[in-house]
Structure formats: C-alpha cells, structure tokens
Amino acid sequence: MTMRALPWREAWDRALYAEDGFFRTSRPAEHFRTNAHVGSFATAIAELALRNEAQTIIDLGAGGGELLTALRSLVGDQMRLIGVELGARPESLPESIGWQSALPEQIDGLLVANEWLDNVPCDIVEMADDGRVRQVLVDPSTGVETLGDELDSDWLRTWWPLTEPGERAEIGLTRDAAWADVVARVNGTAVAIDYGHRRADRPPFGTLRSYAGGREVDVVPDGSRDVTAHVAVDSVAQAAGATAVRQRDALTRLGLQTTRPPLDLAHTDPAIYLQRLAAAGEAGELVAGGGLGDFWWLVTGSLEHGTLTP
Ligand SMILES: C[S@@+](CC[C@H](N)C(=O)[O-])C[C@H]1O[C@@H](n2cnc3c(N)ncnc32)[C@H](O)[C@@H]1O
C-alpha cells in the first residue's frame, strides 16, 4: 500500500520517534553495534569525567543503558549517572542510575551523546535536471522518492553547495540547532560522537542509510528500521562552539592503550594477561581506520586539563 509522500524530515521523525516508531519499540543493540557496546569506551569516558571533576554524567540517547552500566562499576557510587532516552528504562539497569525522557534545563558535569545526532531528522534536497534544488519527498511505506518544491537554503550555500544534477544533501540545520541547545544547558563538558563529514569531503549523494537486525537494509521510513545520516560536523561545531577531533585522537589523548600486553605476562599472570589482551582488542576496534576510529568527537570543554586544540 502506498501512502502520501512526505518531506524526508517529517517521515524520518515519525519512523523513529512516533509511538510505534523504531526507537520506541526496539533497542539499538538489537540492530547495530556502537561505541557503547565496546567495554573500553566506558573507560575513556570515565577518564574524561574524572579529568573534568564531573559529579554527574548524562548519557543523551542512552539506548539500552550499556555505557552507563559499564560506567557505574568504573566511577563508583559518588558520581550521578543519568540516561536521557525516549525508550523505556531497561529492566536490568542498576537502580542507582537515573533514567528520564527529557534533558534537564541545566547540567553540571559531563554530557555524552554517542550516535545521537545522526538520528536527528533533517530535510533532504536534490539538484533536479533543470539545475534547481528541490526537496526530496518519500512514501513512508515504500521508500519511493519524488522531488517536491524548490528549497532555498542559506545553510546549503554555506555548508553543502550542490553543483551537478543528481547531487543530494542533508540539510544540517536541525542538527546544528539540536546540539547548540544541548551545549547551552551544560556547565562543564559536552561531547557528541558520530560519523560525519566536513565541507571538503561531503559525499555527493548524501549518506542516508537504514539498518535493521545487524545489517544494512533498503532505506524505508516505515518504523521497522533505523534511518540515519552522517553529521556535517564542521557546521555543528560552529553552531555550538565545539571543536571537532577524530575519535582515534580523542581516545589517545584520554590514555586508551591499544598495545598488546607482553607475552611474558601470559606465563607469570595469565588472568591479567587475558584481561589486557581483551582490552587491547577492544581499544583496537575503537580506533580502527574505516571503522569507529573515524568517528568525530565534537567537544565543548576539554579532553585534558588545558586548552583543546584540533
Ligand atoms: C543510535 S541510538 C544510540 C544509542 C546509544 N547512545 C549507543 O551508542 O548505543 C540513538 C538513541 O537516541 C535516542 N534518542 C533520540 N532522540 C532522543 C531525544 N530527543 N531524547 C532522548 N533520546 C533520544 C533514541 O531513542 C536511541 O535510543
């Protein structure tokens, strides 16, 4: 059955966040693997919180609470941990971890948003054969696209100019506004972590994708699958006064160890050897080129004491 074609932003928003939307009815970990599912990531976030003397860590878009659960055993009971998430509180979440659906007005401490901005819906445009930039509409039940009205946007001219018919862009205004709003609430450090691109390397046909059940699937905003697009990190950084650094650099600066333990240790202390070997494997996944290591961290505040430089 076909439905009325909608602007992508509206169809995307319904697909993920309506009452029967994807993130209201399933957990991210059922469908894909993120930083939050890799143990050593929590170690780096704990280090960041300690360096900033944060008393509170807020995980925005906390998914199944994996990061917060790992943090609880790392930072001890004195630090407040709060998940802000539209999905229901996970049953297995430790009682000492708070869970709420909206951000507090003011946040003192550290706020982390891992793979949150890529799920903030945006308008999508395409340059038509006549050279005009038009809004892309989508049938939510089939994913079939049509071109709608012309869409004029200062943001496109500044951040993602289209030059050839067929080229597409995801207009980042909603992400810019969303992250600026988050940062304005934080007295401390805010970090958004996501895949992204900068003006010099925008993908000519955009990055809109769907994932479900551990694999990439056709892009259809029908609520049965994730809908995601990479983040224009330079634009968000400017809007929010943040600095963009690659994940591999951020994690190195936070002391993540990727080297394997010496083989001697396997004989003298096999348990510690295996523990460090597993941690090095996880760290390797977090810094891998072509994978999680290519993510961007948009940081407001500091990764270490002193000034943050890109
Ligand atoms: C891709 S998942 C990432 C989950 C987790 N951070 C991770 O890295 O595994 C994005 C999550 O953000 C949540 N989310 C999106 N918009 C939100 C909002 N405005 N407030 C709270 N949670 C939101 C979704 O429900 C979803 O669980």
Side-chain angles (χ1 to χ4, degrees), residues 17 23 28 32 34 36-37 59-63 66 84-87 101 114-116 118-119:
Y17 306 120
F23 284 128
F32 41 84
T34 70
H37 310 138
D59 183 5
L60 172 58
E66 296 86 353
V84 175
E85 171 55 59
L86 296 172
S101 60
N114 188 65
E115 292 203 37
W116 179 72
D118 65 286
N119 286 129

Side-chain angles (χ1 to χ4, degrees), residues 144-181:
V144 172
E145 293 179 338
T146 45
L147 294 189
D149 292 341
E150 195 168 351
L151 195 155
D152 183 50
S153 158
D154 281 341
W155 188 93
L156 278 180
R157 275 187 286 279
T158 307
W159 294 106
W160 196 334
L162 300 181
T163 53
E164 300 286 336
E167 285 185 356
R168 289 164 63 115
E170 290 120 19
I171 300 183
L173 278 171
T174 45
R175 278 93 181 269
D176 295 358
W179 194 242
D181 172 61

Side-chain angles (χ1 to χ4, degrees), residues 55-74:
Q55 301 297 311
T56 301
I57 304 177
I58 293 206
D59 183 5
L60 172 58
E66 296 86 353
L67 172 61
L68 292 169
T69 302
L71 280 170
R72 177 48 84 218
S73 56
L74 292 170

